[in-house]
Amino acid sequence: MRFTKTIVIAALSSAALAACGGQQAASRDQIKAVGSSTVYPFAKAAAEEFARAYSGQYKSPIIESTGTGGGMKLFCAGVGTQHPDIANASRRMKASEYETCKANGVTEIVELEVGKDGIAIAESKEGPTFGLTVKQVYEALAKEPYGKPNTAKNWSDIDPSLPNEPILVYGPPSTSGTRDALAELILTEGCKTDAATKALKETDEDRYEQICTEVRTDGAYVEQGENDNLIVQKLASNPQAIGVFGYSFLEENADKLRGLAINGVEPTYDNIASNSYPGARPLYIYIKKQHLDAVPGLREYISTWVENWGKGGLFTSKGMIASTDAVQSAQSDVVKNMTVLDATVLK
């Protein structure tokens, strides 16, 4: 009897997904998540805990590190078994991405803030010890700081108090949520320190965005793909360089790297949790509600996030910063009710 019931449930699940995805859909009995390289270690940890807790009942989820932008593209491509159930993101979904989702039939999306992270700027422990301001980071990395070509070669060209060493920064590509967060939290804030450039937003927003967020391409900033561990390796072999990645990678490699203070604030757990560190940011997962009752174990996998995101829990042991109690309570309610995202909050 129990065997028959299992077959019926599996058949209903397959039928539900087929209905979602049309004739192209085929049955899938594994959860599939794509997206952020920063969220990836936590998603993998959730998948492992889920597999342990539901051993023999559900298959282990498939987690792919595609970058936030790449993950959103895959997630928003449609509904059905050929499309992912979850997008992991190190920044909030963009309004344009939501519109793409909507156009492709992904009309019910659940947004879940799972914790926090920080954009860490770090160097080898063998490198020169110095701190930076958001203004200095912007002037070093912007392609056109304040609308003029970037001619700075050494850090001392930005400020005489900085090392007389070449500017060499290893960082994430344009498809990465970490890159988006760098642009929003650090570069744009540095850009706005110039009154004339800040005022440009009111008259020519496209030019303002270009000036404030476009990164130089002359070799001072070197993209390292979606693998943040590669940046860590580059810093270890080149003490004169600095790198940009999620805080969790800094914590994991504290024996080899040290974080640079930004505006005098060190990238630490407490400083990120309190939002006193300029590069603090929330982390998200986006769930395709139309897949909830069609993909076996999807609800339970999402619950695994909720059960392990507290301070001292599974995710914080791997470098995540726990959200405040108020945020966690609100997000638990989102999961309980599977509240659909209000698109008016997106930019």
Side-chain angles (χ1 to χ4, degrees):
M1 187 71 178
R2 184 180 176 185
F3 179 70
T4 304
K5 184 179 180 182
T6 302
I7 291 176
V8 171
I9 291 173
L12 288 172
S13 296
S14 297
L17 267 181
C20 288
Q23 292 182 348
Q24 295 180 359
S27 61
R28 172 157 56 81
D29 58 0
Q30 275 179 292
I31 297 159
K32 185 175 181 180
V34 295
S36 168
S37 61
T38 299
V39 181
Y40 177 80
F42 311 124
K44 284 291 287 184
E48 290 165 3
E49 177 62 19
F50 168 84
R52 184 197 63 77
Y54 296 95
S55 177
Q57 188 172 353
Y58 301 119
K59 289 185 177 180
S60 182
I62 300 167
I63 314 295
E64 295 181 11
S65 177
T66 63
T68 297
M72 287 295 182
K73 187 174 181 180
L74 293 167
F75 179 81
C76 290
V79 175
T81 54
Q82 67 271 46
H83 305 293
D85 311 305
I86 293 173
N88 303 318
S90 54
R91 48 110 174 128
R92 197 166 214 176
M93 174 180 275
K94 297 177 181 178
S96 59
E97 291 167 335
Y98 179 86
E99 289 304 318
T100 300
C101 270
K102 188 177 176 182
N104 290 326
V106 185
T107 55
E108 294 182 291
I109 302 168
V110 178
E111 177 188 80
L112 197 61
E113 180 181 322
V114 294
K116 299 180 75 173
D117 184 40
I119 309 297
I121 298 180
E123 65 174 348
S124 164
K125 283 194 170 180
E126 305 302 318
T129 303
F130 64 106
L132 293 166
T133 64
V134 291
K135 182 175 184 289
Q136 290 167 342
V137 176
Y138 169 70
E139 291 177 356
L141 297 186
K143 185 175 183 178
E144 296 179 277
Y146 316 122
K148 300 175 183 178
N150 199 332
T151 59
K153 301 297 182 183
N154 292 348
W155 287 104
S156 55
D157 294 336
I158 303 296
D159 190 304
S161 67
L162 297 176
N164 186 26
E165 297 287 347
I167 298 170
L168 177 58
V169 180
Y170 296 112
S174 58
T175 55
S176 169
T178 301
R179 173 76 163 267
D180 291 334
L182 172 68
E184 178 184 350
L185 301 173
I186 306 291
L187 300 183
T188 299
E189 291 304 308
C191 180
K192 290 192 296 186
T193 61
D194 178 68
T197 307
K198 183 179 181 181
L200 183 63
K201 185 176 183 180
E202 303 303 319
T203 58
D204 190 344
E205 188 167 0
D206 288 343
R207 178 60 175 155
Y208 167 81
E209 288 290 329
Q210 183 183 25
I211 290 172
C212 288
T213 65
E214 196 167 320
V215 175
R216 61 197 297 182
T217 56
D218 59 355
Y221 182 91
V222 183
E223 294 185 355
Q224 292 299 308
E226 295 292 352
N227 186 353
D228 289 349
N229 282 312
L230 184 58
I231 300 177
V232 173
Q233 294 168 18
K234 290 280 188 178
L235 297 184
S237 62
N238 188 349
Q240 303 308 316
I242 67 173
V244 179
F245 38 69
Y247 166 76
S248 61
F249 288 88
L250 173 60
E251 185 174 75
E252 286 176 11
N253 296 278
D255 57 326
K256 299 188 286 286
L257 306 177
R258 61 170 161 252
L260 275 62
I262 305 296
N263 290 356
V265 183
E266 301 280 348
T268 65
Y269 186 103
D270 290 339
N271 288 340
I272 294 169
S274 67
N275 282 327
S276 60
Y277 178 68
R281 60 173 174 174
L283 302 176
Y284 301 93
I285 64 172
Y286 290 88
I287 303 140
K288 202 168 288 179
K289 189 172 181 178
Q290 290 143 294
H291 284 196
L292 270 180
D293 294 319
V295 178
L298 184 54
R299 287 181 183 273
E300 290 82 355
Y301 175 67
I302 296 163
S303 295
T304 301
W305 282 89
V306 179
E307 293 160 5
N308 291 281
W309 66 21
K311 191 169 185 178
L314 175 64
F315 302 133
T316 59
S317 71
K318 295 184 177 297
M320 182 183 282
I321 312 297
S323 297
T324 63
D325 291 344
V327 169
Q328 288 185 6
S329 177
Q331 297 304 293
S332 293
D333 287 342
V334 169
V335 171
K336 180 180 178 181
N337 300 309
M338 280 297 155
T339 309
V340 173
L341 171 67
D342 176 4
T344 62
V345 302
L346 304 178
K347 296 179 181 179

